[in-house]
Amino acid sequence: MTAELVRGQNHPLPQVRLEVRVSAGKPIVAGATLSDEQGRVRGVEWVAHPGAPTLPGLEVSRQAAADHRLAFDLDALSEVVHRVSVLLALPSGVGGPVRFGAVAAPFVAVTGLDGSEVASYTVTGLDAESAVVALELYRRQDAWKVRAVGQGYAGGLAELLADQGLSEAQQLAGSINEAVAQGLARSVAAPPPRTSDADRSRQAATSATGGDQPYAGPPQGASGNVSPPQSPYDLPGAQGTTAPQTNYPAGASQADPSAVTQPSAPGAGGPINYTHPGRQNAAPPPPPPTAPPTQPGQPAQPVAGDATGWSMEERLYNQVWGMFEDLARTTAAYRSAVDFADSRMEQELDKVLSDPRSRIGGQGDAAREAAQAKHAQLVDQARAALDRDLAQLRAEADVVEPALPTAYARWDNPVWHAYRVPMEVPMALRLGDLRLPESESLSIPMLVRLPLERGLWIDSGRAALGDSLTDSDELRRLAMDTAVAHAGRLLAVHPAGEFTVHVIDPAGSGATSLTPLVRSGVLDAPPAVGAAGVADVLARLTQRVDLVQMAVRGGAADSLPPDLDTAEQLLIVNDFPHGFDDRAVTQLRYLADEGPAVGVHLMMVADREDAEAYGPLLDPLWRSLLRLTPVPDDHLADPWVGHAWTYEPALVPPGSQVLQQVLTQVAAARRSWNR
């Protein structure tokens, strides 16, 4: 039975290997401090935090997240450690809440390795505090207990650590905040929240037939609710309208406009209905029942557009992110099951080795073989469940991928051969693919909402080198090719005249990669070269940001100069910081911070090591950009279930002319629009 603690109450711990699970609703930092018998933290090496997540006997999360799982082995702690404090803090400098009074009360639970709760505590009564000691695990007469503390600190981590006797509290708090900011800057874009998993008809159809669903949730001991929160750079609503030309699979149909209730005319003497007659205020319709019938006991056959949404484009977007969630959950369940099997085998082997009579001889060998056999059985069962879910997801991907519209499709998708310049902006854009080590053959499209809420950084540094690359010049060329492919896709999915691309290439090193953009004529001006060209482009874009900001803040959008280009702007910068002086660097940082809100976006192709001379001055710039790589790399973090996703860029196939053909159509449409 779970003990529900109140502040100050304690409870004995029945075991020394356990987990502390935290749920806060908003991304928070979770850590732990070790202290001696006097309650003093002896040094920074006694603090586990995202920058140093592992200490002997405990491990904490590597980044800020809404849910955490902290692992403890109290027997592995040093004998001088008498207390372990579980601390929570709000990340600073990332634009989130700055006090716990503005978020839901954090919930903390102490569980066994099998997921059974020992004690729980809801940290209430917080207001201006930004850091809190939630729980305390402490020794008492050779036994361990847990106490609900709930001590908050308005001064944040620095005040909390100083209160525990750490002399380097201020410096350590700064390094923790820096590690958290870097972790959030490389997080995977999250899908929008969905009403429920039952909205996906493949699950509804399965439960109707009585068969196994593709995924039934994590087993006991796995992560709890791992549904991702809204991304920090995904706006909460639809940010674009749907493409008018969408190929629907057989049997699929658009949402019936008559299903939306229209306001009736006001009757005599009755109240006036102010509802806009053309606005869709009702919930989006469910997906059409197009799945072929299945036999009882068999999973539902996958269908493209098998999700909620007003249009096929929105349904496909939600379906792709549903696949992402399913893959994250089933992988989390598998990893949790394997961890449980490992822990159980370790416990059984420790029990055998602790008894000298069974340590050697036939009895000990038999016990070890039994423990290993049970471990293999548990792992095999977990792998079988994972393989079943992966097979269902692969079947769904095989159906969804060919049905994706141009904004979501790979460059080798036949939909590009029927490309026409769109009339409206799509709701999202594909930047590449994501996959996990357990499912190398299954890739999920990485879709980001439009308009872009963050700039992009194509990392051309040697740190991004893969096993097949050893030449840094080749890597820089691939990075520029990746940037051109992304820019070409952005141009292709916007209507004529609604997206403009500028290029800064101070040394002209990207001329070969820029050929498709230059030859097709989609650029308003040739790539800027030299320090003078850099200064000119940055001055014009900075002035545009200033003018639009003043007009918006003053409510005078009609007063903008008539020659101002109102289209979305993209600035591609190659070989940074070559050709940049201090003024140009300041302007670039300004565009990265203020530009996206007024339609000016940044795409950097750079090696961070080349800008080391600027020191920490440019750290905010790198953190503000979404880092992508020109080669597959597992640098994108999953803050919900702790996965590291391998990102693979969306490149044009070697020898293909599809990008040149698409850009030629875009240039022709731009010329017609300008007439």
Side-chain angles (χ1 to χ4, degrees):
M1 181 176 179
T2 304
E4 298 182 359
L5 305 180
V6 297
R7 185 173 182 177
Q9 185 179 0
N10 59 48
H11 186 76
L13 294 175
Q15 51 192 317
V16 294
R17 291 185 176 179
L18 45 85
E19 290 182 347
V20 173
R21 303 188 180 187
V22 181
S23 179
K26 294 287 186 180
I28 63 173
V29 182
T33 60
L34 308 178
S35 51
D36 55 21
E37 196 169 4
Q38 288 74 38
R40 184 172 60 89
V41 178
R42 296 188 177 182
V44 295
E45 66 277 4
W46 280 37
V47 182
H49 55 85
T54 304
L55 294 179
L58 67 93
E59 183 176 2
V60 303
S61 303
R62 297 177 181 272
Q63 58 189 346
D67 299 285
H68 292 271
R69 295 172 62 187
L70 286 65
F72 293 88
D73 184 355
L74 301 178
D75 274 353
L77 297 176
S78 172
E79 293 182 357
V80 297
V81 175
H82 285 259
R83 185 183 305 169
V84 182
S85 299
V86 177
L87 57 92
L88 309 176
L90 294 171
S92 62
V94 297
V98 296
R99 60 186 186 91
F100 275 109
V103 301
F107 175 79
V108 188
V110 181
T111 73
L113 296 181
D114 59 352
S116 59
E117 284 193 7
V118 177
S120 64
Y121 172 47
T122 302
V123 189
T124 58
L126 300 177
D127 186 13
E129 297 87 350
S130 58
V132 61
V133 177
L135 293 178
E136 175 180 271
L137 313 178
Y138 64 97
R139 296 183 195 261
R140 181 62 56 87
Q141 298 177 351
D142 297 329
W144 285 91
K145 292 186 176 183
V146 58
R147 177 187 290 119
V149 180
Q151 176 62 52
Y153 296 86
L157 280 172
E159 183 181 355
L160 184 155
L161 295 172
D163 188 48
Q164 296 192 0
L166 184 64
S167 58
E168 305 94 334
Q170 192 70 38
Q171 297 88 333
L172 181 58
S175 64
I176 293 174
N177 290 327
E178 176 71 17
V180 171
Q182 291 179 358
L184 290 176
R186 65 189 188 96
S187 295
V188 180
R194 297 184 299 164
T195 54
S196 68
D197 288 342
D199 290 337
R200 308 191 69 189
S201 65
R202 71 169 184 274
Q203 297 178 2
T206 303
S207 62
T209 59
D212 293 335
Q213 293 188 4
Y215 179 72
Q220 192 174 16
S223 173
N225 180 17
V226 295
S227 295
Q230 190 76 6
S231 165
Y233 52 94
D234 258 358
L235 293 185
Q239 302 212 358
T241 51
T242 57
Q245 299 172 350
T246 304
N247 296 325
Y248 291 82
S253 60
Q254 289 181 294
D256 184 4
S258 63
V260 181
T261 304
Q262 301 293 339
S264 57
I272 299 176
N273 189 342
Y274 289 97
T275 305
H276 193 287
R279 184 169 297 148
Q280 297 172 332
N281 294 320
T290 59
T294 59
Q295 297 297 326
Q298 294 182 354
Q301 295 298 316
V303 177
D306 187 7
T308 59
W310 290 105
S311 66
M312 179 57 71
E313 181 195 27
E314 185 177 358
R315 290 172 182 166
L316 287 170
Y317 175 83
N318 290 333
Q319 185 174 14
V320 166
W321 277 117
M323 293 165 61
F324 176 88
E325 291 181 17
D326 287 348
L327 181 56
R329 287 171 175 158
T330 192
T331 304
Y334 169 73
R335 293 181 180 179
S336 179
V338 172
D339 289 343
F340 172 73
D342 293 341
S343 175
R344 177 168 179 167
M345 183 176 68
E346 289 179 6
Q347 290 179 349
E348 294 177 352
L349 292 178
D350 289 345
K351 184 177 180 181
V352 173
L353 296 175
S354 64
D355 187 355
R357 295 172 298 178
S358 61
R359 193 174 300 163
I360 59 176
Q363 184 180 357
D365 293 340
R368 279 189 287 269
E369 291 177 359
Q372 292 169 355
K374 183 62 175 178
H375 174 271
Q377 180 185 1
L378 292 174
V379 173
D380 290 344
Q381 289 176 352
R383 186 70 212 190
L386 176 66
D387 290 341
R388 181 194 64 216
D389 293 346
L390 292 180
Q392 179 71 8
L393 285 170
R394 289 191 189 97
E396 185 173 13
D398 291 341
V399 173
V400 170
E401 190 68 45
L404 294 177
T406 52
Y408 303 171
R410 292 193 184 101
W411 284 109
D412 58 359
N413 193 312
V415 71
W416 286 105
H417 296 290
Y419 169 77
R420 295 293 183 270
V421 177
M423 299 298 294
E424 295 179 330
V425 181
M427 66 183 300
L429 183 84
R430 184 175 191 157
L431 289 181
D433 294 276
L434 301 171
R435 64 174 185 268
L436 291 172
E438 290 84 356
S439 55
E440 288 291 336
S441 61
L442 176 62
S443 296
I444 306 297
M446 178 181 173
L447 304 180
V448 296
R449 297 292 290 267
L450 291 179
L452 297 174
E453 282 294 298
R454 294 173 67 182
L456 304 178
W457 168 28
I458 316 300
D459 191 354
S460 61
R462 295 188 62 85
L465 285 173
D467 294 337
S468 60
L469 286 176
T470 57
D471 186 1
S472 61
D473 292 336
E474 177 69 9
L475 184 66
R476 292 176 185 271
R477 184 191 63 79
L478 280 176
M480 198 60 192
D481 289 346
T482 303
V484 171
H486 291 327
R489 185 182 291 265
L490 283 165
L491 283 165
V493 301
H494 281 80
E498 293 192 15
F499 198 84
T500 302
V501 175
H502 310 269
V503 179
I504 290 179
D505 187 20
S509 59
T512 302
S513 299
L514 291 169
T515 299
L517 296 177
V518 175
R519 181 182 298 172
S520 61
V522 294
L523 299 179
D524 285 352
V529 297
V534 171
D536 178 63
V537 173
L538 292 177
R540 286 189 285 110
L541 290 178
T542 302
Q543 183 185 34
R544 183 190 186 280
V545 172
D546 290 338
L547 290 174
V548 175
Q549 280 186 338
M550 288 188 293
V552 171
R553 292 170 183 171
D558 295 339
S559 63
L560 288 171
D563 59 343
L564 182 74
D565 185 3
T566 58
E568 295 279 316
Q569 310 286 313
L570 174 68
L571 173 61
I572 302 176
V573 178
N574 186 33
D575 272 353
F576 176 81
H578 183 78
F580 281 72
D581 55 18
D582 291 344
R583 176 180 174 82
V585 170
T586 302
Q587 290 175 320
L588 191 68
R589 286 186 54 188
Y590 177 73
L591 292 178
D593 293 337
E594 304 294 336
V598 291
V600 178
H601 311 284
L602 185 62
M603 183 184 295
M604 298 275 291
V605 183
D607 179 1
R608 188 169 183 173
E609 294 182 358
D610 292 342
E612 281 184 337
Y614 289 94
L617 176 67
L618 292 181
D619 287 350
L621 171 65
W622 304 117
R623 287 199 299 265
S624 68
L625 305 174
L626 175 62
R627 177 176 175 257
L628 304 176
T629 54
V631 294
D633 186 71
D634 60 349
H635 68 280
L636 287 177
D638 180 344
W640 312 290
V641 288
H643 298 328
W645 293 79
T646 296
Y647 166 79
E648 184 174 357
L651 296 175
V652 179
S656 174
Q657 297 297 316
V658 62
L659 178 59
Q660 188 67 52
Q661 295 170 1
V662 168
L663 292 179
T664 299
Q665 292 192 45
V666 171
R670 287 169 59 88
R671 288 192 294 269
S672 300
W673 180 82
N674 287 327
R675 289 176 182 172

